[in-house]
Amino acid sequence: MSIVVNSVTKRFGDFVALDNVNLEVRDGSLTALLGPSGSGKSTLLRVIAGLEQPDTGTVVMNGQDVTRVPVQDRGVGFCFQHYAAFKHMTVRDNVAFGLKIRKRPKAEIEKRVRELLELVHLEGFIDRYPGQLSGGQRQRMALARALAVEPKVLLLDEPFGALDAKVREELRAWLRRLHDEVHVTTIFVTHDQEEAMDVAEQIVVMNEGRIEQAGAPRELYEHPKTEFVMSFVGPVNRLGYEFVRPHDLEIGHVPKQGAIEAMIERIVHLGFEVRVELSPAEGDRLWAQLTRQQAEELELAENQIVYVRPARKKVFDENGPRTEELLPA
């Protein structure tokens, strides 16, 4: 199901949560709403769901204006950060709940529940209670419950926010595979840029109730349209008015054109990657991202004086963003 949000504004008292928001979501796509706390991403999700009514603007699904259509008639499934599981019900009954409310035949419910639990790899836990599951298993159960009623749109609000880093990583990979199988139009809210870039086909970057930019992960990383997008999507160093990705920061032992002097404060080995934290004579601290081979060839050490320069940088001014690349010195 395609979704189009047209000129939506939503206020809570004097606070403008959404400011003339326009968005298109392709049928069957996986879209992330990414932004800091208070940027409006959860409010936008709730407006799409029908849980909040916009002050102005419309929400269109598959060409039909559903702005005033009740939430129960929009064909949406929900999954939130806190699983909201029925603790006194088994996994089977939790997943079956929406189908029972709709008075589906008992045999159909049992068949659908078993299909979904197999899909989310919980078929061996059908008679357990939520308290007997791990956090990741409870979240998979919540997703199965949301999918049980065969929603046309799946809406996820910080679905992995309450889980530890390792489980989050595993569930991100699982969500991608699940989406490839069910092809339900899915929108999920996150403040985690890595999560958005890892999972989503389209990322919508929000800030102060507005959409800064929407596009594919690579497009936003390599071609940000605003300073906010540059600084929020992927790591970045700031040199005055210039923005430099850590992997575009060169380190050398000899001064070159455009280089500045800095002292190595810390070297962190992260497997194949080496993170070098630097303190320049003037300005904010910097960090460079090197391969292990690059770091070994440079023979870097803490408290060492080196020279750093951006091989590639982004500048934002009245003419818009532009990329500058330095020629070898």
Side-chain angles (χ1 to χ4, degrees):
M1 176 181 284
S2 62
I3 301 169
V4 179
V5 176
N6 292 311
S7 304
V8 162
T9 296
K10 178 66 180 177
R11 295 180 177 85
F12 296 100
D14 294 331
F15 177 69
V16 182
L18 297 174
D19 186 4
N20 194 36
V21 168
N22 294 278
L23 173 65
E24 292 188 18
V25 177
R26 271 192 314 106
D27 178 32
S29 63
L30 181 54
T31 295
L33 303 182
L34 174 67
S37 297
S39 61
K41 53 191 188 295
S42 289
T43 302
L44 178 56
L45 193 79
R46 291 174 65 82
V47 166
I48 292 170
L51 295 169
E52 298 285 355
Q53 287 294 314
D55 297 321
T56 62
T58 59
V59 176
V60 177
M61 294 184 173
N62 262 11
Q64 179 186 358
D65 186 344
V66 298
T67 312
R68 305 301 168 189
V69 172
V71 58
Q72 64 269 22
D73 297 328
R74 293 198 186 190
V76 297
F78 304 97
C79 187
F80 300 99
Q81 177 175 337
H82 300 289
Y83 329 104
F86 298 111
K87 296 179 181 179
H88 64 288
M89 292 184 183
T90 63
V91 169
R92 170 194 277 110
D93 291 336
N94 264 281
V95 176
F97 181 78
L99 296 170
K100 290 179 179 178
I101 290 294
R102 288 163 174 78
K103 301 187 185 303
R104 298 284 180 83
K106 188 175 291 187
E108 178 188 329
I109 292 175
E110 184 67 17
K111 181 174 182 290
R112 179 70 174 155
V113 168
R114 288 188 176 278
E115 286 174 350
L116 284 167
L117 291 180
E118 185 176 341
L119 183 67
V120 301
H121 307 300
L122 287 177
E123 60 269 29
F125 300 83
I126 192 166
D127 293 318
R128 292 196 188 183
Y129 290 88
Q132 297 174 302
L133 304 178
S134 68
Q137 289 168 340
R138 286 197 296 272
Q139 194 60 284
R140 297 209 306 272
M141 181 194 72
L143 281 163
R145 187 175 61 187
L147 290 167
V149 295
E150 300 181 272
K152 298 172 184 175
V153 176
L154 184 61
L155 303 177
L156 314 175
D157 195 354
E158 299 274 6
F160 309 139
L163 305 172
D164 63 50
K166 179 64 176 174
V167 176
R168 285 174 70 118
E169 186 177 339
E170 291 172 353
L171 281 182
R172 290 203 305 256
W174 174 80
L175 179 60
R176 287 197 310 271
R177 293 194 299 270
L178 177 70
H179 183 263
D180 289 341
E181 291 187 44
V182 298
H183 298 293
V184 175
T185 303
T186 302
I187 304 175
F188 74 99
V189 164
T190 183
H191 62 268
D192 186 329
Q193 54 177 280
E194 183 180 333
E195 186 168 280
M197 296 184 75
D198 186 18
V199 175
E201 301 164 22
Q202 174 181 233
I203 298 176
V204 179
V205 181
M206 299 191 67
N207 181 36
E208 297 183 342
R210 296 183 297 274
I211 293 177
E212 294 267 341
Q213 188 175 348
R218 185 173 179 180
E219 177 188 347
L220 267 62
Y221 185 84
E222 296 184 359
H223 305 289
K225 292 181 178 178
T226 68
E227 291 186 10
F228 181 84
V229 175
M230 179 79 191
S231 60
F232 200 81
V233 180
V236 70
N237 293 297
R238 186 159 187 172
L239 293 167
Y241 296 104
E242 302 170 351
F243 293 80
V244 184
R245 297 291 186 196
H247 56 78
D248 287 326
L249 198 62
E250 291 183 350
I251 297 179
H253 296 294
V254 179
K256 293 182 180 180
Q257 181 180 357
I260 60 172
E261 184 180 288
M263 183 182 75
I264 297 176
E265 285 195 343
R266 189 164 176 250
I267 300 173
V268 183
H269 293 268
L270 301 168
F272 179 74
E273 174 193 333
V274 177
R275 177 183 175 124
V276 183
E277 300 177 7
L278 302 142
S279 177
E282 295 182 3
D284 298 332
R285 284 181 169 80
L286 309 170
W287 70 279
Q289 184 181 34
L290 307 177
T291 65
R292 186 171 58 192
Q293 182 179 346
Q294 287 173 324
E296 290 173 352
E297 289 175 353
L298 287 166
E299 298 181 342
L300 301 178
E302 293 181 2
N303 300 317
Q304 188 179 52
I305 299 298
V306 293
Y307 298 90
V308 297
R309 68 170 193 158
R312 190 169 183 259
K313 60 189 178 183
K314 187 78 72 173
V315 179
F316 298 85
D317 55 28
E318 64 276 5
N319 297 316
R322 69 178 189 275
T323 301
E324 297 179 358
E325 297 193 27
L326 297 187
L327 297 173

